[in-house]
Every structure is written in structure tokens, then in C-alpha cells.
Amino acid sequence: MLQLASGCSPRAVEVPSAGPPSKAAIQSSLSPTDQQAVDQAWSAYQRLNAIYLKAAQSGVYEWNADKTKRPLYPYAAGTYMSALERDLDIMREQGFVRKGSPQVTLRRVVSVSPTSIVVEVCVDDSGTDTVSRKTGKSVVKAGQNQRYPVTMRAGLYPDAKWRWVESQAERAASC
């Protein structure tokens, strides 16, 4: 589990894992200001995920020398952005592409502070595969858990944008 930064006040909100959270379920436990921050951060995650998936599925990513001009920059930062870009680069080098789209569902808001949001999501990769471009065959190791929780943290940056900075998958667990 992620270490929460000091100053974060935990406000856990349980959300059914079968679908996206309803605003009513979250709003009952979060202040309007916290709810707005969570909505902004989650919207940024959805854009980030769409950009990443498009690059992983096509094998094309705009590798600008100025990282602030790269497609993921407005939505990711730090080690998380590095990990996503490293993954895309390794896939390109190996000649792999992703097929399908994972289902990602916000399960609960773990904590909200003025500069940090921690959430738990459920990732369902059962409808996806990573394949070799040459052979079209799967390169995924058999037996991997395809439905697992992930704890993620977003940080508020000086440009007033929420960027996702950490992601820790718990592949041994299920959701």
C-alpha cells in the first residue's frame, strides 16, 4: 500500500466495484471542494488512460525531446510518467502492441488533501492482450491475475492541474 503523505486526511468512500461510482455515493462523504478535486483528477486519469492505450495499441507515441510537449505530460508526472513511457518504449523495441482495452473502475477515494488525492481502482485486463506485431501471438505470461486493485496518487501541480504520480498494483489480490 502507498505511504500517504503527512497532512492527508483519510476520507475513504466505498464505491461498488461493478461500475463507475455514482456522484451521490461519493458526495455523501466528501465536501464539495474535495469532490470537485476528485472529479478533476479522475477526468485527467481518463484522458491519460486514453492517450496511453492509443499509443500502446498503435505503437506510436510522440517522443518530443521537451517532455512538457509529450502527450502524457498534462496528466502524469514523476515516476508514474516515467514508468508509462518506459513501458511504451519497451513495447516499441520488442515489437509488441496491446489489443483490447482494460476496464478501470474507481472503487474508493482513500484520501483527499489540498495537494494530493489517493484512490483505489479495480483494473480488469481480461479483455486485453499484448501480442507480437510479427506473429500476432500473445506474449503475456499464462496464469496472471487479470482483475486486481491498484492504488494511485495524484498531485496538484503549480499550473493547477492534477497529475497522476504513483500507481501500485496488487496483482496477488482480486477485486
Side-chain angles (χ1 to χ4, degrees):
M1 192 65 70
L2 287 175
Q3 294 291 328
L4 298 180
S6 62
C8 290
S9 58
R11 292 187 186 106
V13 178
E14 293 295 331
V15 179
S17 61
S22 69
K23 288 216 179 240
I26 292 177
Q27 286 176 340
S28 64
S29 297
L30 295 176
S31 72
T33 301
D34 287 352
Q35 182 61 52
Q36 182 180 17
V38 169
D39 289 346
Q40 288 172 351
W42 188 247
S43 178
Y45 174 76
Q46 290 174 320
R47 288 190 298 272
L48 163 82
N49 198 38
I51 292 165
Y52 174 81
L53 283 173
K54 182 178 177 184
Q57 292 169 345
S58 68
V60 177
Y61 182 72
E62 190 178 323
W63 292 101
N64 194 305
D66 179 353
K67 75 175 182 178
T68 66
K69 294 182 180 172
R70 294 181 190 165
L72 291 175
Y73 179 79
Y75 313 109
T79 57
Y80 188 51
M81 182 170 166
S82 296
L84 292 172
E85 288 187 332
R86 185 175 55 247
D87 186 51
L88 291 172
D89 195 36
I90 289 169
M91 288 177 55
R92 181 188 54 80
E93 287 176 357
Q94 301 282 328
F96 300 157
V97 291
R98 296 241 166 92
K99 300 289 182 186
S101 297
Q103 299 300 312
V104 180
T105 307
L106 177 61
R107 291 188 58 197
R108 67 186 184 110
V109 176
V110 176
S111 68
V112 178
S113 80
T115 59
S116 180
I117 295 173
V118 177
V119 298
E120 182 181 278
V121 301
C122 181
V123 176
D124 183 348
D125 280 335
S126 60
T128 68
D129 198 2
T130 301
V131 300
S132 167
R133 279 183 182 249
K134 288 182 184 177
T135 66
K137 292 184 180 179
S138 179
V139 297
V140 176
K141 182 180 176 183
Q144 284 187 343
N145 183 6
Q146 294 184 318
R147 190 170 160 80
Y148 50 91
V150 177
T151 302
M152 301 180 65
R153 185 171 66 86
L156 183 61
Y157 277 70
D159 62 359
K161 291 189 179 190
W162 288 98
R163 288 187 175 85
W164 292 91
V165 297
E166 291 181 67
S167 176
Q168 183 174 351
E170 296 180 41
R171 289 276 192 164
S174 191
C175 55

